[in-house]
């Protein structure tokens, strides 16, 4: 790919200073998202994926602070901008879709009013009504004129998420960040909303950073995937490569714990143990305590290294081109917990 | 909307009816009655006593007395004060505007200062400006009204006699003197009320400043000031408005003290005097006025709610 990526993140580090100590929620994270590409950022709760997303727009709430790295959006390092320059880029160059549409819209104002706010924040006041109606129609809202006059509480969750997406896209940003956009929705609505986001980003050539913990969503939506664990990216690969040939034991565990229709739900393997305490991280590999492959080498912290074409993993076991032996997993992981 | 207003007014009428019964019952439950005030405790014969009771209708059963009293009250007749010999209604008409003016001015001043101060404090939460605002207003809140009042009286009459005028002058007599005579009572009672408005605004703003929709607006590039003063404040308002209405009730109580300190001829002072002289008709009438004011204010606040919160509107 010769054109520079829309978003280029390098060594991003975000810390939270609390009375219990300092937590490095995002630790030296690097990734690119190209025009028209969808990158999935995957991990359990607390792995740092949401903080990574919020760090990109510099919206991390106190006591969180970005302490290092670069976040280049359309070639500009956002971390060097002043607050007003940053504000001008929020919404116009990068839109955002949040997890819970029930709380992401302001209950005191009509949907049309809130969309107008998103437009006028960037001095694009001309023909706002028409643009608002067009944006609502784009996300599949019937009767946009009437919907624009409605208040959020008069809409269903799925409708509200469509509004949030329409707001995120209304300034035609080059990048859209979606943080668990379907987690709070009914299963029947999830697929519709995902299809909508896929079509919109494809039609506009928008780069999409999709944060999720749902491997089904990843398979449906993403071109590439970055897996986060305890504040670090542990594996990064094109989606087919990741599903077919993952090189990190954590990714392997995640993939195995997807419920499948052809086996009873109780038989779905789970990943034993729980993520490490982020304020007291172990030395060495952070996944070591839960890893069935762990040996002496894992007492040293592994780097994220190339293990194949466009495929990187942070694991001593696979750095020499070895693959992980599935049978070891099957023996060690208890079925049905 | 119209239906809601009608229902609300019906509710107000019912509450007021209950209030009138309670107020009347309190008057009737106090030991002794007006007769002893009129005839005097000693020296009167039983016959004189009974004659007065009969003339005032106090020999009839209580429910009958209540209906008679209510019927008269509804026509604006609260009887004649046995102490002053004047009609109670005429006293009320004279006193009410003084108290209302003081209450409304206090509300205006305390909101004008307390609301912005609360917003600024919330936006700067736990930083220097917030601490400064809170400590200052905590101080004004902690000092009792009568202490502030007496201090102001002392300081004002001694060092700024041109600014304040101590004895009450009606607006109709001399507008300038009137303003000067109201300034000190206003300041006295505005101090604690401002502090409360600030506290309430700060708490309510803090709650919405971290709401997800505020983050949405921020992520959309909306300017920070606009988020604070429009997106957030609009959601913080309903509890603040409720609280300000509630404060009017507290204010009515505060008036008794302030009017006493500054010798303002208002309802509060009138009520206190009536209690001291066992002026039964006056006590019941002022109590009824206070209670009615409280009920009406609360109804008004309730009617404001749908304007402030779209979720309260019917579709």
């Amino acid at each position: 790919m010769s054109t520079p990526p829309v978003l280029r993140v390098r060594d991003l580090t975000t810390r939270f200073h609390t009375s219990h100590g300092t937590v490095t929620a995002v630790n030296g994270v690097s990734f690119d998202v190209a025009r028209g590409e969808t990158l999935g950022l995957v991990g359990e709760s607390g792995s740092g994926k949401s903080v990574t997303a919020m760090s990109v727009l510099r919206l991390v709430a106190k006591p969180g602070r970005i302490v290092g790295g670069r976040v280049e959006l359309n070639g500009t390092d956002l971390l060097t901008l002043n607050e007003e320059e940053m504000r001008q880029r929020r919404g116009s160059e990068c839109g955002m879709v949040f997890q819970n549409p029930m709380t992401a819209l302001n209950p005191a104002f009509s949907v049309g009013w809130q969309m107008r706010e998103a437009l006028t924040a960037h001095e694009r006041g001309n023909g706002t009504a028409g643009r608002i109606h067009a944006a609502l129609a784009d996300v599949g809202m019937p009767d946009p004129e009437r919907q624009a006059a409605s208040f959020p509480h008069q809409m269903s969750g799925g409708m509200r998420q469509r509004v949030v997406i329409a707001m995120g896209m209304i300034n035609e940003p080059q990048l859209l960040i979606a943080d668990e956009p379907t987690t709070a929705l009914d299963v029947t609505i999830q697929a519709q909303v995902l299809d909508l986001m896929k079509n919109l980003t494809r039609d506009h050539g928008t780069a999409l950073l999709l944060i999720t913990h749902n491997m089904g969503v990843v398979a449906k939506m993403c071109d590439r995937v970055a897996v986060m664990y305890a504040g670090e990216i542990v594996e990064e690969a094109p989606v087919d490569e990741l599903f077919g040939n993952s090189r990190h034991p954590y990714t392997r565990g995640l993939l195995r714990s997807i419920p499948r229709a052809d086996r009873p739900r109780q038989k779905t393997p789970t990943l034993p143990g729980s993520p490490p305490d982020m304020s007291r991280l172990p030395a060495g590999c952070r996944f070591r305590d839960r890893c069935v492959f762990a040996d002496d080498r894992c007492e040293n912290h592994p780097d994220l290294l190339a293990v194949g074409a466009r495929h990187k993993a942070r694991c001593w076991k696979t750095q020499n081109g070895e693959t992980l032996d599935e049978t070891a997993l099957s023996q060690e992981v208890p079925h049905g917990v | 909307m119209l239906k809601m207003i009608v229902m609300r007014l019906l509710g107000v009428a019912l509450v007021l009816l209950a209030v009138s019964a309670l107020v009347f019952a309190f008057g009737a439950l106090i030991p002794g009655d007006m007769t002893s005030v009129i005839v005097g405790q000693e020296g009167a014969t039983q016959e004189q006593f009974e004659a007065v009771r009969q003339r005032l209708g106090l020999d009839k059963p209580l429910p009958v007395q209540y209906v008679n009293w209510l019927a008269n009250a509804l026509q604006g007749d609260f009887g004649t004060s046995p102490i002053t010999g004047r009609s109670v209604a005429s006293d009320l008409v004279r006193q009410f505007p003084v108290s209302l003016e003081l209450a409304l001015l206090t509300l205006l001043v305390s909101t004008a200062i307390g609301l912005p101060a609360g917003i600024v404090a919330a936006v700067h939460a736990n930083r220097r400006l917030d601490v400064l605002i809170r400590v200052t207003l905590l101080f004004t809140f902690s000092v009792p009204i009568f202490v502030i009042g007496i201090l102001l009286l002392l300081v004002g009459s001694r060092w700024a006699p041109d600014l304040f005028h101590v004895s009450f002058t009606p607006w109709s007599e001399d507008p300038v003197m009137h303003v000067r005579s109201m300034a000190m009572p206003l300041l006295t009672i505005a101090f604690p009320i401002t502090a409360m408005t600030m506290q309430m605004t700060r708490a309510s703003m803090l709650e919405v400043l971290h709401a997800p929709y505020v983050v949405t607006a921020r992520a959309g590039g909306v300017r920070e000031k606009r988020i604070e003063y429009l997106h957030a404040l609009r959601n913080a308002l309903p509890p603040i408005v409720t609280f300000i209405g509630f404060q009017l009730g507290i204010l009515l109580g505060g008036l008794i003290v302030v009017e006493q300190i500054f010798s303002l001829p208002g309802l509060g002072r009138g009520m206190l005097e009536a209690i001291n002289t066992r002026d039964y008709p006056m006590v019941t009438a002022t109590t009824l006025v206070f209670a009615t004011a409280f009920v009406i204010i609360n109804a008004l606040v309730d009617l404001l709610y749908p304007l402030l919160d779209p979720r309260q509107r019917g579709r």
Side-chain angles (χ1 to χ4, degrees), chain A residues 87 91 103-104 106 117 122-123, chain B residues 213 216 219-221 223 226 231 235:
Chain A
R87 182 197 69 74
T103 55
N106 195 321
E117 284 289 289
H122 304 288
E123 274 86 36
Chain B
Y213 53 79
T216 308
R223 285 180 180 80
R226 204 172 161 81
H231 293 237
N235 284 280

Side-chain angles (χ1 to χ4, degrees), chain A residues 22-331:
Chain A
T22 299
V23 169
T24 305
V26 179
N27 197 349
V29 163
S30 302
F31 58 85
D32 292 344
V33 193
R35 189 184 139 77
E37 184 188 40
T38 297
L39 174 71
L41 201 54
V42 184
E44 309 168 78
S45 312
S47 60
K49 54 193 196 303
S50 287
V51 179
T52 303
M54 293 302 266
S55 298
V56 169
L57 275 182
R58 280 175 46 188
L59 286 173
V60 183
K62 279 181 187 150
R65 220 163 70 84
I66 301 170
V67 293
R70 298 171 64 78
V71 177
E72 288 171 23
L73 180 61
N74 297 322
T76 310
D77 183 4
L78 300 180
L79 302 187
T80 63
L81 300 179
N82 66 30
E83 194 42 50
E84 172 60 17
E85 291 167 331
M86 187 64 229
R87 182 197 69 74
Q88 286 168 9
R89 280 166 175 82
R90 291 187 192 121
S92 63
E93 290 184 26
C94 175
M96 189 133 185
V97 176
F98 293 92
Q99 177 171 354
N100 193 345
M102 305 310 273
T103 55
L105 292 170
N106 195 321
F109 298 99
S110 74
V111 159
W113 188 92
Q114 295 182 54
M115 295 183 74
R116 182 169 294 112
E117 284 289 289
L119 274 176
T120 52
H122 304 288
E123 274 86 36
R124 297 176 190 180
N126 296 338
T128 42
R131 288 190 54 183
I132 290 163
H133 297 155
L136 285 173
D138 270 357
V139 293
M141 298 275 275
D143 198 357
E145 282 87 354
R146 199 172 63 84
Q147 300 295 354
S150 306
F151 287 90
H153 72 273
Q154 295 166 328
M155 297 180 163
S156 68
M159 298 258 272
R160 291 190 211 187
Q161 196 62 312
R162 283 171 195 269
V163 171
V164 175
I165 293 169
M167 270 173 74
M169 292 290 287
I170 198 163
N171 287 305
E172 294 181 20
Q174 291 78 37
L175 173 70
L176 187 68
I177 299 177
D179 188 355
E180 306 257 10
T182 56
T183 308
L185 299 177
D186 285 349
V187 180
T188 46
I189 309 295
Q190 288 184 0
Q192 291 176 21
V193 169
L194 289 175
D195 283 336
L196 171 70
M197 289 187 36
K198 194 166 193 166
N199 294 338
L200 271 180
T201 49
R202 188 191 55 216
D203 294 349
H204 292 83
T206 317
L208 176 62
L209 177 60
L210 181 66
I211 288 126
T212 180
H213 64 262
N214 185 332
M215 282 298 186
V217 172
V218 170
K220 183 182 169 72
M221 297 289 291
C222 299
D223 303 306
R224 283 188 307 120
V225 191
V227 180
M228 280 191 81
Y229 186 79
E232 295 175 327
I233 290 182
V234 292
E235 185 163 12
E236 189 190 318
V239 69
D240 294 340
E241 170 85 1
L242 190 95
F243 276 89
N245 187 20
S246 64
R247 300 295 188 91
H248 194 284
Y250 176 63
T251 314
R252 210 43 88 82
L254 274 187
L255 291 172
R256 285 171 52 82
S257 58
I258 302 171
R260 285 201 330 230
D262 61 355
R263 80 184 160 203
R265 208 182 168 84
Q266 312 81 281
K267 290 247 175 102
T268 301
T270 54
L271 207 57
S274 51
D277 180 349
M278 291 295 283
S279 60
R280 277 192 300 264
L281 282 174
C285 175
R286 293 177 178 181
F287 189 61
R288 191 181 56 193
D289 291 345
R290 301 170 79 182
C291 183
V292 291
F293 302 101
D295 59 25
D296 292 347
R297 280 181 297 178
C298 306
E299 311 218 338
N300 295 312
H301 190 249
D303 288 328
L304 185 66
L305 295 175
V307 292
R310 304 178 66 209
H311 191 163
K312 290 182 230 170
R314 191 188 289 278
C315 180
W316 294 113
K317 278 281 177 188
T318 55
Q319 285 187 351
N320 301 322
E322 301 161 45
T323 51
L324 296 168
D325 182 9
E326 268 298 320
T327 53
L329 270 172
S330 309
Q331 284 160 11

